[in-house]
Amino acid sequence: MQITADHVIKFIETITMRVKEQRDYLTQLDSAIGDADHGVNLDRGFTTVVTKLPSVADKDIGTILKTVGTTLVSTVGGASGPLYGTAFLRAGMASADRFELSVDDLTVVVEAALEGIQARGKSTRGEKTMIDAIGPAVDALKAAHAAGDDLLTSLRKAVAACQAGMEATIPMLATKGRASYLGERSIGHQDPGATSAFLMAQALLEVLEASQ
């Protein structure tokens, strides 16, 4: 199985739906340790992204992802716009001119996205950020692929690792971003960025399973 450009369009549409459904929950998580705007900002960004999809529906995967990235950077406030925007831009650069992605290609694309977030946010694992969900997902995807698993099996393992990483942010002390101002009071709250990252990973798996 390969990921096609059509899958990527459906993936973005599914993220948009999931973010809209979970907007209040994401904002509630963010109200505990941030600016209480994560859900609202992402919802606005992806709602705008969806309006751009018809213009790139026949384009390569790289063009689609770069369009998502530039739109998020220009429409989403807070920290999440530049971070997710950079992630999609880097993913788009790594998939330029491609109309299909194998599991091998996907590992390269998601690793590029992770590196983009780390570079833009100047953050690393263990600081209670989206990286704590995305990093383990990338590791699991690479390990599954190296073990010879197919695309769907690899992605299921990545999503499970992403969920575990998201949940692992609850007991963490935040040392990056607005949440770090709270010090010890940041402990006991799930990171909203890690949560939205999990929603996105879940969306990709959902689209690929539905196309089986």
Side-chain angles (χ1 to χ4, degrees), residues 73-123:
V73 168
S74 63
T75 60
V76 181
S80 56
L83 292 172
Y84 277 130
T86 301
F88 279 98
L89 282 167
R90 292 286 187 93
M93 289 161 65
S95 54
D97 302 321
R98 304 296 299 272
F99 283 87
E100 290 188 334
L101 300 175
S102 65
V103 62
D104 196 29
D105 298 324
L106 182 62
T107 61
V108 173
V109 168
V110 295
E111 196 152 41
L114 174 60
E115 287 169 0
I117 293 170
Q118 288 175 317
R120 186 67 188 250
K122 298 182 174 55
S123 51

Side-chain angles (χ1 to χ4, degrees), residues 36-206:
D37 61 0
H38 188 61
V40 174
N41 283 343
L42 276 187
D43 183 32
R44 181 175 62 244
F46 277 98
T47 298
T48 307
V49 163
V50 163
T51 67
K52 305 281 180 75
L53 293 182
S55 66
V56 293
D58 60 343
K59 302 285 195 271
D60 63 281
I61 291 170
T63 299
I64 296 166
L65 294 176
K66 281 187 276 190
T67 300
V68 174
T70 52
T71 306
L72 291 178
V73 168
S74 63
T75 60
V76 181
S80 56
L83 292 172
Y84 277 130
T86 301
F88 279 98
L89 282 167
R90 292 286 187 93
M93 289 161 65
S95 54
D97 302 321
R98 304 296 299 272
F99 283 87
E100 290 188 334
L101 300 175
S102 65
V103 62
D104 196 29
D105 298 324
L106 182 62
T107 61
V108 173
V109 168
V110 295
E111 196 152 41
L114 174 60
E115 287 169 0
I117 293 170
Q118 288 175 317
R120 186 67 188 250
K122 298 182 174 55
S123 51
T124 165
R125 297 189 202 191
E127 295 181 321
K128 200 183 183 90
T129 70
M130 60 179 68
I131 289 170
D132 293 305
I134 300 170
V138 173
D139 290 347
L141 185 69
K142 289 167 69 177
H145 174 48
D149 288 340
D150 63 16
L151 177 62
L152 269 180
T153 305
S154 299
L155 195 53
R156 287 185 187 116
K157 289 179 179 179
V159 171
C162 191
Q163 181 173 6
M166 170 189 76
E167 292 167 353
T169 65
I170 296 171
M172 282 183 187
L173 172 74
T175 56
K176 261 283 181 290
R178 173 79 63 175
S180 65
Y181 302 162
L182 295 173
E184 303 249 327
R185 282 181 296 142
S186 66
I187 295 171
H189 298 283
Q190 186 167 293
D191 181 67
T195 308
S196 58
F198 170 64
L199 290 178
M200 293 183 197
Q202 221 176 15
L204 180 57
L205 179 59
E206 184 183 329

